[in-house]
Amino acid sequence: METPYPKRNELPSQERVIVAEFDTEIHASTRVLQNLSEIAEKLFESDQLYDQPTYLGDYVYELDPSPLGSDVLPGAIEPFKAGAYKSTQGLVQSQKSRDTAVNDMPELTSSLFKPVRDFTDARIVKQGNLPGQPWYDASLPEAKDYHSIEIEGLDEPLVSLLDYGINCRSYYSRPNRVTGEAVPGVKPDVFVRESIAKRLVVLNNLLQHPEVIKFFGNEVELYVDEGYRDPEVQRYLHDDYIPKLITGQLAKKHGINLETASKHELAKLEKEMIPIRDRKISKPPAGFGEGDPGPHQTGSAVDMTIRYKQDTTDLVPGVNIWFGKGAADLVKVTEPDHFEHHLPNTPEELVAQQNLRAWHYLLEVVGLRQNPTEFWHAGGGDQLSAVLDGDIDDVIALFGWPIENPNTYTPISDNEVKA
């Protein structure tokens, strides 16, 4: 099916072009200063340089050259310091010009260009970082994982998003990039908590605003891939499908043939796979109503995207807004703030950075919080979302298990599938 709408914002608004020009200058200056910072640390044998490149030039300009090693040519010092200072001033001016241009835009348009919040601390809390964990990193702060957050357990019904006019279809009920074929027995209905459905309606209406339409180059809408997920599906994904997928990708990366791999090689792959899997998908509970539920088991988390408006509730290839990476690419980084930490290198990545910033703002304004490792996952009221609202010891999650299982999954045996 050919879509009449552009796939990757091929006709950017004037505002996007203006901001892209400023951001390209800022990114170039930032890269120069990052390189100078690395050089300065070696030249001046100093670990006190500011992290922010904005201040690098001022700091280097004032450094006392006395700590310099004897092998450094004195004549190279002043030009280096002058270059750092000049680059800093250029960066500051570009930032000021960008701020002025953005602040002159309508309020909603201006907000779409705000940088994404820093999710670094939330990523640590998501999986936890304590001695004894397979992924423990002594260089990072120790942290309990988000499952330690207290759950209030509000009784709020699950509702079908189709009843609220939101286009959707359960991801694993259809062919997809994670499992390939549809997972047998998964039903197409998408259920969420009633309050989440209402927020999604507000978000979908916001996408119809003229300034948002102008930003994305045409009419857009929400498309939801997942809401409540049966714990049996979660177990199937966590224990079987996704480990196999990641192991296959890692084996290809390391040049290992899985059919002939030694026990040592397989053990090494498994050790490398576990932390990747556990960053990407929650550990399944024992069964419905048992233990702490994952975000999707609460019914208050959704996987979704923005797509150019369609006349069908079905998935339509090639019409989603471009965010730079596919949602099922489990080995590569897919964090919401990816392009805040890894500056765009191409025009396509710059478009993705702008879209991720707009997406983040739109979610935040309706009270939804992004998963710190998955830009397509957002929620409100579950334990993971609560991590974004305050200190792990102070916040309380609203939703635990729903009162009733909405029966979105009926396991089917291999024999039934073949029949």
Side-chain angles (χ1 to χ4, degrees):
M1 172 183 173
E2 287 293 326
T3 171
Y5 304 128
K7 182 178 179 181
R8 294 187 183 177
N9 192 33
E10 296 167 355
L11 301 172
S13 66
Q14 182 180 2
E15 290 83 0
R16 292 188 70 152
V17 171
I18 291 172
V19 175
E21 291 175 352
F22 284 124
D23 282 343
T24 299
E25 293 176 2
I26 291 170
H27 296 156
S29 297
T30 300
R31 287 191 182 91
V32 170
L33 289 168
Q34 287 173 340
N35 291 334
L36 288 175
S37 180
E38 294 176 3
I39 295 171
E41 288 179 6
K42 297 176 182 177
L43 284 179
F44 296 95
E45 299 178 354
S46 171
D47 58 0
Q48 298 179 353
L49 293 176
Y50 289 95
D51 291 333
Q52 298 92 338
T54 301
Y55 302 106
L56 176 63
D58 293 313
Y59 189 80
V60 171
Y61 193 79
E62 297 170 0
L63 273 175
D64 182 355
S66 59
L68 293 173
S70 58
D71 58 334
V72 179
L73 295 175
I77 304 307
E78 290 305 319
F80 172 81
K81 291 165 65 175
Y85 187 75
K86 181 178 180 181
S87 295
T88 297
Q89 298 310 303
L91 175 59
V92 170
Q93 185 56 52
S94 294
Q95 289 173 327
K96 287 181 178 179
S97 298
R98 181 194 192 276
D99 291 343
T100 299
V102 171
N103 290 337
D104 287 341
M105 296 175 186
E107 183 177 357
L108 176 55
T109 301
S110 173
S111 297
L112 297 175
F113 291 106
K114 290 181 178 178
V116 176
R117 68 189 293 179
D118 190 339
F119 283 86
T120 302
D121 290 342
R123 276 189 284 275
I124 298 173
V125 173
K126 179 185 175 183
Q127 68 175 26
N129 188 51
L130 296 173
Q133 293 174 323
W135 51 83
Y136 175 64
D137 186 342
S139 67
L140 299 175
E142 291 190 1
K144 297 177 289 185
D145 72 65
Y146 72 95
H147 284 298
S148 64
I149 292 174
E150 181 183 346
I151 299 175
E152 182 177 344
L154 292 184
D155 179 10
E156 187 178 287
L158 290 169
V159 297
S160 170
L161 282 180
L162 287 176
D163 293 338
Y164 284 75
I166 304 293
N167 286 333
C168 58
R169 173 155 183 170
S170 180
Y171 188 75
Y172 297 104
S173 71
R174 57 175 172 77
N176 61 81
R177 296 200 302 173
V178 173
T179 61
E181 294 301 315
V183 175
V186 175
K187 299 178 181 179
D189 311 64
V190 175
F191 288 86
V192 298
R193 296 281 184 161
E194 185 178 32
S195 60
I196 299 301
K198 290 178 179 178
R199 293 187 194 186
L200 294 179
V201 170
V202 174
L203 177 56
N204 206 33
N205 289 338
L206 183 57
L207 292 178
Q208 316 309 313
H209 193 286
E211 290 178 45
V212 177
I213 293 173
K214 183 179 180 182
F215 181 90
F216 288 116
N218 219 311
E219 292 181 288
V220 291
E221 64 183 357
L222 280 184
Y223 190 77
V224 179
D225 280 313
E226 192 76 301
Y228 170 80
R229 184 185 298 151
D230 190 291
E232 293 300 319
V233 176
Q234 191 81 8
R235 182 175 298 105
Y236 183 54
L237 296 171
H238 181 277
D239 296 347
D240 187 4
Y241 251 111
I242 289 179
K244 287 180 180 178
L245 176 70
I246 297 173
T247 300
Q249 292 175 335
L250 292 173
K252 183 177 181 180
K253 175 183 175 182
H254 297 307
I256 297 175
N257 186 329
L258 289 175
E259 293 182 0
T260 59
S262 66
K263 290 184 178 179
H264 173 73
E265 288 175 322
L266 292 175
K268 183 178 178 181
L269 287 174
E270 183 179 19
K271 184 177 180 180
E272 189 174 351
M273 175 276 295
I274 288 173
I276 298 175
R277 177 200 64 187
D278 290 346
R279 283 196 298 270
K280 300 300 179 183
I281 186 168
S282 300
K283 183 178 179 180
F288 181 81
E290 300 181 35
D292 281 351
H296 281 292
Q297 275 83 63
T298 68
S300 58
V302 292
D303 293 341
M304 58 183 173
T305 190
I306 306 174
R307 72 178 187 179
Y308 289 105
K309 205 162 188 179
Q310 304 298 307
D311 296 327
T312 176
T313 60
D314 291 335
L315 178 74
V316 179
V319 299
N320 289 352
I321 295 299
W322 173 244
F323 289 117
K325 288 178 170 60
D329 198 345
L330 299 180
V331 173
K332 291 184 180 180
V333 177
T334 52
E335 293 94 340
D337 56 344
H338 173 76
F339 289 113
E340 307 300 335
H341 300 289
H342 306 274
L343 299 179
N345 290 305
T346 66
E348 290 76 18
E349 289 185 345
L350 187 57
V351 169
Q353 184 190 54
Q354 289 186 337
N355 288 340
L356 281 168
R357 288 176 170 180
W359 180 226
H360 177 69
Y361 169 77
L362 292 167
L363 290 171
E364 290 275 314
V365 80
V366 298
L368 295 174
R369 305 291 180 245
Q370 283 180 292
N371 183 319
T373 60
E374 301 173 355
F375 63 77
W376 58 91
H377 174 124
D382 60 283
Q383 289 173 302
L384 181 57
S385 299
V387 168
L388 279 300
D389 286 326
D391 187 271
I392 191 171
D393 294 319
D394 298 328
V395 296
I396 296 177
L398 299 179
F399 300 116
W401 286 100
I403 299 300
E404 295 182 359
N405 187 333
N407 190 26
T408 60
Y409 176 58
T410 303
I412 298 176
S413 68
D414 290 341
N415 291 334
E416 289 177 294
V417 173
K418 292 176 182 177

